[in-house]
Amino acid sequence: MNNFEYVRATAIPDALRAVADQAGSRFLAGGTTMVDLMKCGVEVPSALIDITRLPGLDTIEAGPASVRIGALSRMSDVADHPIIRKEFPVLSESLWRGASAQLRNMATIGGNLMQRTRCSYFREPGVYSACNKRNPGSGCAALEGVNRGHAVLGTSPSCIATNPGDFAVALVAFDAAVYVENGKPRRIPIDDFFLLPGDTPDVEHPLSRGELIVAVEIPTSATLRRSHYLKVRDRESYEFAVASAAVGLELEADGRTVRDVRVALGGIATRPWRARAVEAALVGRTFDEPTVRAASRLATEGAVDHGENRFKIDLAPRVVARALLTVGGTS
């Protein structure tokens, strides 16, 4: 690991100044992603700006109109928050299914949004040189390599790496916003926060250098209150999703007709993927198993496989249907 400078910031302006003063510096919170990437040689920061002591960024406010979560809130604190567990289950479920207890006790919400792909070609620079996300213009070794865990949606000839997040899938399903600070506050809708790879897979977020995530906010809704996160993986726990779904459901007064529905997928796309075609196919329809399964098949519309990951195109609709039937009480 390369030598680096360590700076502990005690106020947001100090942190912003410190990261702006030195090229190649990075913010450090829980460190569960950054330190990992430094050990495998993907990140080589000249300085780490420790933001864990910044005041006011670890609050959790669950109000009638929205849930606002400070960027330094620990995953475990959010997952175990009594109001979030009771009123907004998808937020809690996506966090406690996301990692081991030890990691959840360290990892922060802001860092969770910024975590990098687990594509082995990205994470092993000493073995694989071709990775456009790590080394722009070098190619994508996964296209013709071992790609069982890679994306089938949102891909490009430059990159097919999946976004690894769980909590981010829930945020995308329920129209969250990310708040950042760089001398003045900025609000970024979650749909705009995760970028498609296109020709620049190394650019994953629309953040300017030195912008600091300070909070995420999720508007409350009937669908958020009746929600669920389903994660399908190769082993029971402590594994990234092969396919996952964050869903929410609101029925009309008759208890049978869909008024509103939210569906987002993880593990199958280069970014957390909102399945709007599934939602549109269900609104106004009777909520029953045949209708749900037919609509869920739209989840992978336009998907492109690269051989080993072809099974995801069939798996993802089944995951969506199972999640919806679970939240609808008909599974």
Side-chain angles (χ1 to χ4, degrees), residues 58 60 72-82 84 104-105:
D58 60 351
I60 303 169
L72 291 182
S73 300
R74 304 293 178 184
M75 288 175 62
S76 56
D77 291 335
V78 180
D80 294 336
H81 191 282
I84 289 177
R104 294 197 303 271
N105 286 337

Side-chain angles (χ1 to χ4, degrees), residues 157-319:
S158 297
C159 185
I160 60 171
T162 53
N163 181 284
D166 293 296
F167 187 57
V169 181
L171 297 182
V172 165
F174 294 93
D175 299 322
V178 180
Y179 288 83
V180 302
E181 181 82 42
N182 188 8
K184 61 180 181 179
R186 184 161 74 102
R187 177 184 183 275
I188 305 174
I190 197 69
D191 276 347
D192 299 331
F193 186 77
F194 297 100
L195 304 179
L196 291 171
D199 296 328
T200 55
D202 56 308
V203 182
E204 298 177 352
H205 308 285
L207 298 177
S208 302
R209 170 169 163 72
E211 279 194 307
L212 175 67
I213 299 174
V214 295
V216 295
E217 189 170 54
I218 310 99
T220 60
S221 63
T223 54
L224 184 59
R225 290 187 172 88
R226 188 176 184 176
S227 60
H228 178 52
Y229 185 71
L230 175 63
K231 183 175 182 178
V232 174
R233 42 198 165 178
D234 288 329
R235 63 185 184 214
E236 180 67 21
S237 60
Y238 311 150
E239 180 65 283
F240 294 96
V242 176
S244 68
V247 302
L249 179 67
E250 181 186 9
L251 298 177
E252 299 284 1
D254 63 11
R256 297 182 298 109
T257 307
V258 178
R259 175 180 291 178
D260 192 14
V261 63
R262 305 297 179 90
V263 181
L265 297 108
I268 68 162
T270 55
R271 50 165 287 170
W273 196 263
R274 183 77 175 265
R276 296 187 185 276
V278 177
E279 297 172 355
L282 287 172
V283 171
R285 302 288 303 280
T286 299
F287 187 88
D288 56 31
E289 185 167 346
T291 302
V292 168
R293 292 199 179 278
S296 296
R297 286 195 286 272
L298 300 173
T300 49
E301 213 173 28
V304 177
D305 72 86
H306 293 83
E308 295 178 3
N309 61 358
R310 184 177 295 118
F311 74 100
K312 290 191 176 189
I313 298 175
D314 296 322
L315 175 64
R318 296 201 295 269
V319 173

